[in-house]
Amino acid sequence: MNEKIHCLIIGSGPAGYTAAIYAARAGLKPIMYTGLQQGGQLMNTTDVENYPGYPKGILGPEMMNDFKEQAERFGTDIRFGMATKVQFNEHPPHKVWIDDTIELEADAVILATGAEAKWLGLDSEKRLNGSGVSACAVCDGFFYKNQEVAIVGAGDTAAEEALYLSKICSTVHMIVRRDVMRASKVMQERVLATPNIKVYWNSQTDEILGEHVVEAVRIKNCNTHEKTEIPVKGFFVAIGHKPNSDVFKEYIHTDDQGYVITVPGSTETNVEGVFACGDLQDKVYRQAVTAAGTGCMAALETERYLSAKEHVPHVEATGSLSK
């Protein structure tokens, strides 16, 4: 099967759906392939309380369904499938294969495949994900105000999140595998100078305890093998993220961590007609609202690009991109 389209969006989530809303309202007739998890990481999130427009908060899956319905309302063709191969040419059209069977030719492509948090691999971590286990302190730290929490990690992200939690929680138990942190010196100094952050050196997570919600974490000293249980209400994993960029790397420039490199102040990549948005190219903020913002940028830039190339289909738009 070979299909020629104007605007292809790969990946769902806040970035992809926002790009779809803007592109559809501009009359680009976007086609979106959602990936394996329609809605992205927020499908695994319970309460979302920091996204504007939801004063009472909302469940992550419900919010993503709202995004989906809004994108469909303006004519986005949303399909389930995963990009398994691409051929990005020097000049469009670009080729994309879905599930190794569907071949697409697109005048413009918006990449919104996001990034996945790295996990420890414990069964209890998976079972209690969303019930006390989280990979985003900024997203979920508020739920543990004045309570004890644990965080595992030793890099700058872990240090930043530990410091963030220390302003909300009574005690932050920081689990570090080695006798030193990987974080920059200034971040280490800030962590060690914060009185309610307690660092456990040479330690690893043995088990997260609790039947329905997190009640404690059991850690093991890497040298003595002694095990210790720490009562906590929240457990944060901060050992990094992996951007879903592997399928594009042959053509798209990425940094040493795999994040897509875009032109500063835009969503343009090194390939003409290919734009990247959301957590796929953002390793700093990683929030739903910032992902949505770059999704908007990607659609605006795609519309301008296609207009300049005279690829915009002659259909009646349902609104203005500027609103």
Side-chain angles (χ1 to χ4, degrees):
M1 175 181 176
N2 185 296
E3 185 177 3
K4 295 183 178 181
I5 58 180
H6 285 279
C7 177
L8 172 65
I9 300 172
I10 304 175
S12 47
Y17 282 136
T18 303
I21 291 166
Y22 275 77
R25 293 182 76 241
L28 301 185
K29 304 180 76 172
I31 291 175
M32 169 189 282
Y33 277 92
T34 64
L36 293 179
Q37 187 173 42
Q38 183 170 291
Q41 290 189 76
L42 279 173
M43 297 302 288
N44 296 325
T45 304
T46 51
D47 295 312
V48 179
E49 294 193 335
N50 57 1
Y51 197 92
Y54 294 98
K56 297 181 180 179
I58 188 170
L59 296 176
E62 290 182 11
M63 188 170 93
M64 285 300 91
N65 189 60
D66 287 348
F67 275 50
K68 176 177 178 287
E69 289 183 359
Q70 191 171 358
E72 288 178 323
R73 173 190 166 199
F74 294 113
T76 304
D77 183 349
I78 299 177
R79 307 174 182 178
F80 182 79
M82 184 173 180
T84 51
K85 179 183 175 183
V86 301
Q87 181 182 312
F88 292 155
N89 302 309
E90 184 176 354
H91 301 290
H94 300 297
K95 291 185 178 182
V96 177
W97 284 262
I98 304 296
D99 299 327
D100 296 318
T101 57
I102 301 171
E103 182 180 340
L104 308 173
E105 284 191 3
D107 295 319
V109 181
I110 296 176
L111 308 179
T113 50
E116 298 178 358
K118 295 179 181 178
W119 299 98
L120 300 173
L122 299 172
D123 290 339
S124 55
E125 173 188 56
K126 184 176 181 179
R127 177 172 56 82
L128 294 171
N129 196 331
S131 297
V133 172
S134 170
C136 181
V138 175
C139 309
D140 300 327
F142 181 79
F143 299 116
Y144 305 98
K145 188 175 182 180
N146 298 323
Q147 300 183 65
E148 295 196 30
V149 299
I151 184 168
V152 58
D156 278 336
T157 297
E160 285 180 16
E161 297 208 338
L163 289 165
Y164 176 84
L165 291 169
S166 72
K167 300 172 184 177
I168 301 170
C169 306
S170 59
T171 304
V172 179
H173 302 275
M174 189 172 187
I175 305 164
V176 177
R177 189 179 183 90
R178 299 168 58 198
D179 59 356
V180 294
M181 293 185 193
R182 298 191 314 276
S184 59
K185 184 178 180 181
V186 64
M187 293 303 295
Q188 292 187 48
E189 291 174 348
R190 289 176 185 173
V191 166
L192 297 176
T194 303
N196 65 333
I197 297 179
K198 183 177 181 180
V199 180
Y200 298 79
W201 304 104
N202 297 304
S203 298
Q204 63 183 26
T205 305
D206 185 65
E207 195 68 84
I208 304 166
L209 306 175
E211 188 166 345
H212 302 294
V213 296
V214 171
E215 297 176 0
V217 59
R218 185 170 65 229
I219 65 172
K220 181 172 70 173
N221 186 283
C222 299
N223 296 328
T224 65
H225 304 294
E226 179 184 359
K227 295 181 180 181
T228 305
E229 289 188 12
I230 308 168
V232 294
K233 296 296 184 182
F235 182 85
F236 293 88
V237 181
I239 57 175
H241 287 73
K242 183 184 184 303
N244 297 315
S245 61
D246 287 352
V247 71
F248 314 122
K249 282 185 176 180
E250 183 179 348
Y251 303 94
I252 299 295
H253 292 167
T254 61
D255 67 11
D256 57 356
Q257 298 176 59
Y259 287 92
V260 170
I261 298 172
T262 53
V263 174
S266 82
T267 62
E268 296 178 17
T269 69
N270 61 292
V271 175
E272 178 187 333
V274 179
F275 305 85
C277 56
D279 288 5
L280 179 67
Q281 53 86 54
D282 172 22
K283 60 183 177 182
V284 178
Y285 301 105
R286 294 195 295 264
Q287 299 297 302
V289 69
T290 51
T294 56
C296 166
M297 291 169 59
L300 289 169
E301 292 171 346
T302 298
E303 190 273 337
R304 291 166 185 161
Y305 169 77
L306 290 174
S307 292
K309 294 293 183 180
E310 297 182 346
H311 282 324
V312 177
H314 298 290
V315 297
E316 181 180 353
T318 56
S320 169
L321 275 176
S322 63
K323 298 182 180 178

